[in-house]
Structures are given as C-alpha cells and as structure tokens.
C-alpha cells in the first residue's frame, strides 16, 4: 500500500511479491510525474512527452529512431516483423520469450516461421545459431531472415549474454544478410550488471525492444529501437495492431521518471537476489541479475505454502520456482522471504 509520500520501496499489504518485476507499482513520485505530464495526441505525433521519450531511448541505444509501444510483446513482435517477411524464418533459442511466451504471435499475426536451437540454459552461442542458419535464394529452403537474442535471458534465470558472443553473432550477420533482433526486456539489468553500455548492446542489433515496465518500475511501456525507415514502418504496424495510443504522455512521463531514478538502483535488486540465493543455498554464481531459480522443489506446494505466509513466488515448471527482486521488495522483505522459503522448502523435503 502506498500510504507514505516517498519514493522508497513500497510493501504490498504485507506480502513480499517475488513473482515478477512486472508487479511493481508506480511510486508516489512517479505518479506525480505522470499527473504533471504535458500531453497531446500521440497518433498525430503531438505528444511532447512521448516524442522526447522516443528520442531519448533511441539515443541511449545508439539507434536513429524509436517507437513507444504498450508492451514488450508488441515491441518484440513488430521488431521481428520488421526484419522478417511472411514465409521466412526467425531463428532463436528454444527458451526465448519471443517463441515461448508470446502466444505464437509471429506465426499467428505475421506468417513468420520459427526454428529453435536448444542452448545451455539460455546462454547465447553464436556458433550454435550460425550453424543452423538457412540461406536465401534456395527454393527448397525456408530462408532464415532474423536471429532473436534475449538479454538478460528470462528462462535462463536472468543471465547476462556474453558480449563476445553478441559481437561475433552481429559481425557474422553483417556478412550473411541476416538481421538480429534483441529482446531487451531486461537489457537495463544486463547493462548495470555487466557495465556494458546500453548503446553497445543496442548497436549489436538491427531491432531491439526494451521494457520500462520490468525492473525500471513503470506501469506500462516498452520502446522499439531501429533505423528511421524501420521505425516509420513500425508505426504503421503498431496502429494496425491497435497499439496507437492518444494522450499517452502520462505513461511516457512514468518511463522518463524510471530512467531518471530507477536505473542505477537495479544494482540493489541484483544484490538482493544474490542475498536470497545465499540464504536459500542456491549457487550464487547462477545469479547474475535480479532472478533466483530454485530447482528440484515441488513448485506448486512451495508456492502455496509460501503464499500462506505472505511470500509470493513464480512457478516456472513443476519442479522449478522463480524469485524476482525489484523496486517493491526491500532488504527486510528479502530477509523475510528467505526465512519463509527456507522453512517451507525444508518442511516439504521432510526435514
Ligand atoms: N515476461 C514476463 C512473463 O511473460 C514471463 C515475466 O514475468 O518475466 N521479453 C521478456 C524477456 C520478458 O520476460 C517479457 C515478460 C516480455 C518480453 C514481454 O513483456 P510484456 O509482458 O510487456 O509483453
């Protein structure tokens, strides 16, 4: 509940909510920024706060242009459509969000084919992907038009992709006429954890979708970055998909506030995740950003028992639980969650 007028972490009633960093609620200061936003009709491109956000994010990622979209899913799917024609193929990791959690959108909406490689826990291997690329101009084959990468990797437990692999893949893609799309829903976490500038990650992709509504704590909003020609086409796709928004500067203002105040503090979320891992006996080297994956536990039973004690966790599979730290979970919350989960997991294991 937000009873206090500060920009600090908030508590959700009494619960510590570790299900996802999408669950953050706008802080009082963010709400003030939203209330004060200058707005206009963004479909007419007359919303100054949105225009400024698009310019800002394009520059941050070293691209010519950007488009504010309602969700990471829309950013990803429009991004893929920009670099892949119907009947062509997107190649990605079998656990990629764009192919796992986006309801088959690339096929359902755009007629894009997809093919996957099974990676080691989400970690990008340029060679592994390159080996699977199918060339254009062969009438037997489905041409690979784009490769999708994800940084940080969600199902990989928030892992940061190795810069050398990203560089190798991108350099190769220039010679092969294949495009690279970055699902950068949590690229801000990747940058804070690795020290690699956002612009470096941005320049290693032809299209990138980045989310303001994950760790940065905005209530809604992602931004797609690319060159000016592609963003002009993306604007049409967004409208076609019903994503043309009107006085949406109120949301862009939340995004500006998030970039101003919530970027550097992601390091605190990462620290909290490491602390949680330590307390739970999870190998700390598996924790690179704001996620902790707990394996070999009865996930539904853990989730239910923890919930009864005011700790909410995500269930990735029957035997895997995911804990995500974020703006709304402070150090006390982390300690409390660690205590509850240690006890719950211990009880369920019978000791
Ligand atoms: N991820 C959500 C769920 O969909 C799993 C979460 O709680 O982690 N790319 C990546 C890597 C994501 O993790 C997500 C959201 C998205 C894209 C989609 O963003 P939205 O929810 O804004 O469409």
């Amino acid at each position: 509940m937000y009873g206090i007028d500060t920009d600090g972490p908030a508590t959700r009633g009494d619960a510590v909510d570790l299900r996802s960093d999408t669950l953050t609620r706008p802080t009082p200061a963010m709400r003030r920024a939203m209330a004060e936003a200058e707005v206009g009709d963004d479909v007419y491109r007359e919303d100054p706060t949105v225009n400024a956000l698009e310019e800002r994010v394009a520059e941050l990622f070293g691209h010519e242009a950007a488009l504010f979209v309602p969700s990471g899913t829309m950013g990803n799917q429009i991004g893929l459509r920009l670099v892949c024609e119907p009947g062509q193929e997107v190649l990605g990791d079998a656990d990629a969000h764009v192919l796992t959690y986006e309801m088959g959108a690339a096929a359902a909406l755009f007629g894009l084919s997809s093919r996957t490689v099974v990676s080691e826990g989400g970690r990008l291997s340029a060679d592994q992907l390159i080996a699977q690329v199918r060339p254009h101009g062969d009438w037997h084959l489905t041409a690979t038009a784009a490769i999708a990468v994800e940084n940080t990797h969600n199902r990989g437990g928030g892992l940061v992709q190795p810069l050398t692999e990203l560089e190798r893949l991108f350099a190769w893609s220039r010679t092969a006429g294949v495009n690279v799309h970055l699902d950068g829903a949590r690229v801000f976490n990747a940058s804070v954890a690795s020290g690699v500038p956002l612009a470096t990650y941005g320049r290693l992709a032809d299209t990138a979708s980045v989310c303001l509504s994950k760790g940065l704590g905005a209530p809604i909003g992602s931004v797609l970055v690319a060159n000016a020609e592609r963003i002009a086409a993306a604007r049409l796709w967004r409208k076609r998909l019903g994503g043309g928004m009107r006085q949406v500067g109120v949301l862009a203002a939340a995004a500006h506030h998030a970039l101003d105040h919530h970027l550097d503090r992601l390091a605190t979320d990462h620290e909290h995740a490491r602390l949680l891992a330590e307390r739970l006996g999870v190998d700390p080297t598996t924790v690179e950003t704001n996620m902790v994956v707990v394996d070999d536990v009865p996930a539904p039973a853990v989730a239910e028992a923890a919930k009864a004690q005011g700790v909410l966790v995500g269930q990735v599979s029957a035997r895997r639980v995911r804990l995500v730290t974020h703006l709304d979970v402070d150090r006390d919350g982390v300690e409390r969650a660690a205590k509850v989960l240690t006890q719950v997991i211990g009880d369920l294991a019978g000791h």
Side-chain angles (χ1 to χ4, degrees):
M1 297 296 143
Y2 286 88
I4 44 166
D5 196 26
T6 71
D7 205 8
T11 50
R12 187 163 315 243
D14 225 13
V16 182
D17 197 339
L18 298 168
R19 288 173 298 168
S20 182
D21 49 10
T22 60
L23 286 143
T24 53
R25 292 187 280 204
T27 62
M30 183 181 277
R31 286 174 185 259
R32 280 196 298 277
M34 295 169 76
E36 287 159 14
E38 210 185 319
V39 298
D41 189 326
D42 181 50
V43 171
Y44 287 75
R45 304 190 66 177
E46 288 175 8
D47 190 306
T49 312
V50 173
N51 292 342
L53 179 69
E54 290 176 344
E55 269 174 42
R56 180 179 186 179
V57 177
E59 199 182 321
L60 268 180
F61 286 91
H63 276 263
E64 272 176 8
L67 186 72
F68 189 47
V69 291
S71 68
T73 300
M74 193 184 285
N76 277 333
Q77 294 301 327
I78 294 177
L80 291 178
R81 179 62 186 85
L82 295 175
V83 291
C84 205
E85 292 300 315
Q88 293 185 324
E89 154 183 293
V90 178
L91 179 65
D93 165 41
D95 272 328
H97 195 283
V98 292
L99 302 174
T100 306
Y101 288 126
E102 299 187 8
M103 328 307 294
L109 301 175
F110 301 138
L112 306 187
S113 190
S114 60
R115 202 150 50 91
T116 56
V117 299
V118 176
S119 66
E120 255 181 59
R123 199 168 296 274
L124 177 72
S125 154
D127 283 345
Q128 192 189 25
L129 287 162
I130 291 167
Q132 295 304 321
V133 167
R134 289 174 173 155
H136 294 248
D138 182 319
W139 58 84
H140 295 102
L141 296 175
T142 307
T144 310
I147 296 177
V149 301
E150 187 173 318
N151 197 15
T152 65
H153 197 290
N154 182 338
R155 286 175 67 87
L159 75 79
V160 179
Q161 299 295 4
L163 182 61
T164 48
E165 293 300 299
L166 290 166
E167 285 172 339
R168 232 144 60 76
L169 181 68
F170 193 68
W172 174 86
S173 70
R174 299 309 87 182
T175 66
V178 173
N179 291 295
V180 174
H181 172 76
L182 168 66
D183 176 354
R186 295 188 181 82
V187 71
F188 297 102
N189 296 82
S191 174
V192 165
S194 65
V196 174
L198 294 170
T200 303
Y201 284 136
R203 288 197 189 100
L204 296 173
D206 296 285
T207 51
S209 171
V210 305
C211 292
L212 290 325
S213 61
K214 306 285 182 300
L216 290 183
I220 297 179
S222 293
V223 177
L224 177 65
V225 300
N227 66 29
E229 195 186 333
R230 286 194 171 120
I231 291 301
R235 200 171 285 283
L236 306 186
W237 280 114
R238 183 185 67 176
K239 189 70 171 64
R240 211 170 262 142
L241 293 170
M245 302 178 284
R246 304 294 178 173
Q247 287 72 24
V248 75
V250 287
L251 295 175
H256 279 293
H257 182 86
L259 288 168
D260 290 339
H261 300 287
H262 297 166
L263 183 51
D264 293 340
R265 66 153 304 287
L266 291 175
T268 305
D269 295 343
H270 301 169
E271 224 176 86
H272 286 163
R274 281 194 298 273
L275 183 67
L276 255 180
E278 245 171 61
R279 298 273 196 276
L280 295 175
V282 170
D283 176 2
T285 64
T286 65
V287 178
E288 297 186 34
T289 54
N290 68 332
M291 294 187 188
V292 181
V293 170
V294 188
D295 268 324
D296 299 322
V297 292
V302 169
E304 197 190 319
K307 187 176 177 182
Q309 297 194 58
V311 176
L312 307 178
V313 303
Q315 301 174 51
V316 180
S317 70
R319 301 285 299 166
R320 173 175 287 191
V321 160
R322 181 183 81 159
L323 315 171
V324 188
T325 54
H326 53 74
L327 185 63
D328 286 3
V329 178
D330 61 12
R331 168 104 190 197
D332 287 349
V334 170
E335 296 285 6
R336 210 173 102 218
K339 215 166 141 193
V340 166
L341 288 167
T342 307
Q343 180 235 308
V344 160
I345 292 170
D347 286 354
L348 286 166
H351 34 77

